[in-house]
Amino acid sequence: MPSVTMKVNGKNVNAEVENRTLLVQYLRDHLNMTGTHVGCDTSQCGCCVVHVNGSSVKSCTMLAVQAEGADVVTIEGLADGEVLHPMQAAFREHHGLQCGFCTPGMVMSAVDLAKENPDPSETEIREWLEGNICRCTGYHNIVKAIAAGTKNMQG
Amino acid sequence: MAGLRYEAPNTVDAAIGLLSEVAGAKVLAGGTDLLVQIREEMIDPDLIVDIKRIDETRRIEITPDYVKIGAAMTGAELGENEELAAMWPGVIEAVELIGSWQVQGRATIGGNLCNASPAADSVPAIIASGAKIVVAGPQGVREIPAEEFPKAPGRTALEANEFVVSLVLPVPPKRSGDAYLRFIPRTEMDIAVVGAGVSVSLNEDGTCASARVALGAVAPTALLVKDAIDALLGSKLDDVTLEKLDKAARDACNPIDDKRGTIEYRTKVAGVLVRRTAAIAWERAQKQNG
């Protein structure tokens, strides 16, 4: 089996994986980092969003071997020890979740949005979330959380 | 699928060598369609050839005579190129409709073309631009006019062991504009009921010097609509022209009935959408004097 080396949340990791292994399967099944969720099989739901070399990517659209040498950040890599990332804190503060299944992907997408657009309007936030589906339809508070989290990230 | 092999060659020749070596090998550009098809067990290839490490597939070359876009350029990368977006805004708005932000960062223009969905968003705009598809294979390199590239749903003009290296678009003359519109039942992230791509170049007096009109999702492949082009040539996009354009688009339709729209509905929408697309292309051409 091929060997793949990448950095995940700042740590170098190396493993032998089958070529068919998706990045999300590698994170969940090989590294036991189950914060990245799988909500569909078709790259639509956005639960599995992680950052690859700084850009948000649905980790089901990449093979693990394609991430050779990449710098990957998952939801587990956002908080600083016990201190939540400002976007995570905003999701808690504004109750930006119901069942919580979509939340890791929502937060990872939102952090990327904040980097691209530090002062997004409500419409821009909603447009940004086209690739993240909340099965509970709890978008209203998610949008509020992202607006607040984006502000917090600037401070 | 247990034995799936993955290779990411650095050269066009190495890619052709790999494709020739393993029957049924699949080319991966962005992977957003291919990996889903593997996951859904629609395909079970023995080899994936990732073309993203081949230099020619990963660059945009703009010369006075042509624009060459690497097949593995993503929608996000194309949208960031301001010079390209100024020349071919319709092509860019089409590629930017493919998938969500995260998919935009992976999905490629070459992949959208080769996946050969009848409803692929970039294809009508690419056809309307007059692009040629640059294909490399064991017999060498050849160029295929974009409108001759899709052959059937999921099937293209690619011969065995060939792959798309790049797309070559002309540099539009003065007073040119293009546009792409699609109609979907939702506001985002859906598959086109109809897609319409139009490019026009105007004479100094404002009449149409040249035009190309293409439709997607209304037939087994995207179509270049000859009668629609004839309707536009020499015109100033007046009401009579729009009426002819609408009819030509409707007459070209050979759609399916599905959950997104009936045959009658798709046909009607095709006429309306092509009018709107032509109006945008026209307006851009009128503003475009450089």
mmCIF file of all heavy atoms in Angstrom, chain A residues 96-117:
data_model
loop_
_atom_site.group_PDB
_atom_site.id
_atom_site.type_symbol
_atom_site.label_atom_id
_atom_site.label_comp_id
_atom_site.label_asym_id
_atom_site.label_seq_id
_atom_site.Cartn_x
_atom_site.Cartn_y
_atom_site.Cartn_z
ATOM 1 N N GLY A 96 -25.803 28.298 17.301
ATOM 2 C CA GLY A 96 -25.778 28.063 15.845
ATOM 3 C C GLY A 96 -25.817 26.588 15.500
ATOM 4 O O GLY A 96 -25.135 26.145 14.585
ATOM 5 N N LEU A 97 -26.567 25.822 16.240
ATOM 6 C CA LEU A 97 -26.698 24.396 15.929
ATOM 7 C C LEU A 97 -27.954 23.846 16.595
ATOM 8 O O LEU A 97 -28.421 24.384 17.590
ATOM 9 C CB LEU A 97 -25.494 23.594 16.432
ATOM 10 C CG LEU A 97 -25.222 23.625 17.930
ATOM 11 C CD1 LEU A 97 -24.610 22.314 18.365
ATOM 12 C CD2 LEU A 97 -24.316 24.782 18.274
ATOM 13 N N GLN A 98 -28.462 22.771 15.992
ATOM 14 C CA GLN A 98 -29.545 22.047 16.642
ATOM 15 C C GLN A 98 -29.029 20.640 16.949
ATOM 16 O O GLN A 98 -28.522 20.389 18.035
ATOM 17 C CB GLN A 98 -30.802 22.080 15.784
ATOM 18 C CG GLN A 98 -31.390 23.510 15.784
ATOM 19 C CD GLN A 98 -32.650 23.642 14.979
ATOM 20 O OE1 GLN A 98 -33.470 22.742 14.915
ATOM 21 N NE2 GLN A 98 -32.828 24.793 14.349
ATOM 22 N N CYS A 99 -29.057 19.737 15.979
ATOM 23 C CA CYS A 99 -28.522 18.403 16.284
ATOM 24 C C CYS A 99 -26.999 18.392 16.302
ATOM 25 O O CYS A 99 -26.387 17.521 16.896
ATOM 26 C CB CYS A 99 -29.064 17.355 15.315
ATOM 27 S SG CYS A 99 -28.197 17.258 13.746
ATOM 28 N N GLY A 100 -26.382 19.350 15.597
ATOM 29 C CA GLY A 100 -24.929 19.460 15.633
ATOM 30 C C GLY A 100 -24.177 18.678 14.575
ATOM 31 O O GLY A 100 -22.958 18.794 14.480
ATOM 32 N N PHE A 101 -24.901 17.932 13.766
ATOM 33 C CA PHE A 101 -24.206 17.068 12.806
ATOM 34 C C PHE A 101 -23.453 17.879 11.755
ATOM 35 O O PHE A 101 -22.321 17.559 11.396
ATOM 36 C CB PHE A 101 -25.177 16.090 12.143
ATOM 37 C CG PHE A 101 -24.474 14.963 11.446
ATOM 38 C CD1 PHE A 101 -24.155 13.801 12.133
ATOM 39 C CD2 PHE A 101 -24.089 15.070 10.121
ATOM 40 C CE1 PHE A 101 -23.468 12.765 11.513
ATOM 41 C CE2 PHE A 101 -23.399 14.049 9.493
ATOM 42 C CZ PHE A 101 -23.092 12.894 10.193
ATOM 43 N N CYS A 102 -24.078 18.949 11.282
ATOM 44 C CA CYS A 102 -23.462 19.745 10.215
ATOM 45 C C CYS A 102 -22.436 20.736 10.745
ATOM 46 O O CYS A 102 -21.718 21.374 9.981
ATOM 47 C CB CYS A 102 -24.530 20.498 9.420
ATOM 48 S SG CYS A 102 -25.331 21.845 10.334
ATOM 49 N N THR A 103 -22.390 20.884 12.086
ATOM 50 C CA THR A 103 -21.640 21.982 12.699
ATOM 51 C C THR A 103 -20.145 22.004 12.354
ATOM 52 O O THR A 103 -19.618 23.072 12.034
ATOM 53 C CB THR A 103 -21.846 21.957 14.225
ATOM 54 O OG1 THR A 103 -23.240 21.831 14.484
ATOM 55 C CG2 THR A 103 -21.318 23.227 14.868
ATOM 56 N N PRO A 104 -19.440 20.862 12.380
ATOM 57 C CA PRO A 104 -18.016 20.940 12.045
ATOM 58 C C PRO A 104 -17.778 21.561 10.660
ATOM 59 O O PRO A 104 -16.908 22.419 10.507
ATOM 60 C CB PRO A 104 -17.569 19.473 12.067
ATOM 61 C CG PRO A 104 -18.563 18.772 12.921
ATOM 62 C CD PRO A 104 -19.858 19.492 12.719
ATOM 63 N N GLY A 105 -18.581 21.139 9.693
ATOM 64 C CA GLY A 105 -18.433 21.685 8.348
ATOM 65 C C GLY A 105 -18.834 23.150 8.284
ATOM 66 O O GLY A 105 -18.200 23.951 7.591
ATOM 67 N N MET A 106 -19.896 23.494 8.994
ATOM 68 C CA MET A 106 -20.337 24.896 9.031
ATOM 69 C C MET A 106 -19.226 25.780 9.594
ATOM 70 O O MET A 106 -18.924 26.847 9.048
ATOM 71 C CB MET A 106 -21.584 25.043 9.922
ATOM 72 C CG MET A 106 -22.846 24.455 9.334
ATOM 73 S SD MET A 106 -23.485 25.512 8.003
ATOM 74 C CE MET A 106 -24.943 24.556 7.544
ATOM 75 N N VAL A 107 -18.638 25.347 10.692
ATOM 76 C CA VAL A 107 -17.605 26.162 11.352
ATOM 77 C C VAL A 107 -16.375 26.282 10.450
ATOM 78 O O VAL A 107 -15.831 27.381 10.275
ATOM 79 C CB VAL A 107 -17.237 25.555 12.728
ATOM 80 C CG1 VAL A 107 -16.028 26.264 13.327
ATOM 81 C CG2 VAL A 107 -18.424 25.637 13.687
ATOM 82 N N MET A 108 -15.967 25.180 9.852
ATOM 83 C CA MET A 108 -14.774 25.229 8.988
ATOM 84 C C MET A 108 -15.015 26.109 7.761
ATOM 85 O O MET A 108 -14.132 26.873 7.363
ATOM 86 C CB MET A 108 -14.363 23.814 8.552
ATOM 87 C CG MET A 108 -13.918 22.899 9.684
ATOM 88 S SD MET A 108 -12.653 23.595 10.759
ATOM 89 C CE MET A 108 -11.175 23.422 9.768
ATOM 90 N N SER A 109 -16.225 26.043 7.195
ATOM 91 C CA SER A 109 -16.547 26.921 6.062
ATOM 92 C C SER A 109 -16.570 28.377 6.512
ATOM 93 O O SER A 109 -16.080 29.269 5.821
ATOM 94 C CB SER A 109 -17.916 26.581 5.482
ATOM 95 O OG SER A 109 -17.861 25.351 4.809
ATOM 96 N N ALA A 110 -17.135 28.602 7.704
ATOM 97 C CA ALA A 110 -17.272 29.971 8.207
ATOM 98 C C ALA A 110 -15.907 30.603 8.465
ATOM 99 O O ALA A 110 -15.700 31.787 8.178
ATOM 100 C CB ALA A 110 -18.096 29.960 9.496
ATOM 101 N N VAL A 111 -14.960 29.812 8.965
ATOM 102 C CA VAL A 111 -13.620 30.349 9.217
ATOM 103 C C VAL A 111 -12.970 30.752 7.888
ATOM 104 O O VAL A 111 -12.303 31.784 7.791
ATOM 105 C CB VAL A 111 -12.756 29.312 9.976
ATOM 106 C CG1 VAL A 111 -11.295 29.743 10.033
ATOM 107 C CG2 VAL A 111 -13.307 29.093 11.381
ATOM 108 N N ASP A 112 -13.203 29.968 6.852
ATOM 109 C CA ASP A 112 -12.665 30.308 5.535
ATOM 110 C C ASP A 112 -13.322 31.583 4.999
ATOM 111 O O ASP A 112 -12.652 32.463 4.459
ATOM 112 C CB ASP A 112 -12.883 29.133 4.572
ATOM 113 C CG ASP A 112 -12.028 29.250 3.314
ATOM 114 O OD1 ASP A 112 -11.020 29.983 3.348
ATOM 115 O OD2 ASP A 112 -12.368 28.605 2.311
ATOM 116 N N LEU A 113 -14.615 31.693 5.194
ATOM 117 C CA LEU A 113 -15.332 32.908 4.759
ATOM 118 C C LEU A 113 -14.736 34.140 5.442
ATOM 119 O O LEU A 113 -14.486 35.169 4.801
ATOM 120 C CB LEU A 113 -16.826 32.804 5.102
ATOM 121 C CG LEU A 113 -17.641 34.101 5.014
ATOM 122 C CD1 LEU A 113 -17.665 34.639 3.588
ATOM 123 C CD2 LEU A 113 -19.070 33.898 5.498
ATOM 124 N N ALA A 114 -14.500 34.028 6.748
ATOM 125 C CA ALA A 114 -13.992 35.180 7.496
ATOM 126 C C ALA A 114 -12.638 35.638 6.954
ATOM 127 O O ALA A 114 -12.320 36.827 6.977
ATOM 128 C CB ALA A 114 -13.882 34.827 8.974
ATOM 129 N N LYS A 115 -11.867 34.686 6.428
ATOM 130 C CA LYS A 115 -10.567 35.058 5.852
ATOM 131 C C LYS A 115 -10.749 35.741 4.497
ATOM 132 O O LYS A 115 -10.049 36.681 4.156
ATOM 133 C CB LYS A 115 -9.693 33.806 5.692
ATOM 134 C CG LYS A 115 -9.054 33.382 7.017
ATOM 135 C CD LYS A 115 -8.024 32.290 6.799
ATOM 136 C CE LYS A 115 -8.689 30.993 6.431
ATOM 137 N NZ LYS A 115 -7.796 29.853 6.294
ATOM 138 N N GLU A 116 -11.714 35.252 3.722
ATOM 139 C CA GLU A 116 -11.961 35.804 2.388
ATOM 140 C C GLU A 116 -12.680 37.144 2.458
ATOM 141 O O GLU A 116 -12.449 38.021 1.651
ATOM 142 C CB GLU A 116 -12.853 34.837 1.576
ATOM 143 C CG GLU A 116 -12.194 33.552 1.185
ATOM 144 C CD GLU A 116 -11.254 33.725 0.005
ATOM 145 O OE1 GLU A 116 -11.581 34.508 -0.909
ATOM 146 O OE2 GLU A 116 -10.185 33.091 0.023
ATOM 147 N N ASN A 117 -13.582 37.245 3.404
ATOM 148 C CA ASN A 117 -14.428 38.427 3.488
ATOM 149 C C ASN A 117 -14.654 38.755 4.968
ATOM 150 O O ASN A 117 -15.529 38.185 5.607
ATOM 151 C CB ASN A 117 -15.764 38.124 2.779
ATOM 152 C CG ASN A 117 -16.703 39.312 2.795
ATOM 153 O OD1 ASN A 117 -16.449 40.308 3.464
ATOM 154 N ND2 ASN A 117 -17.802 39.203 2.064
#
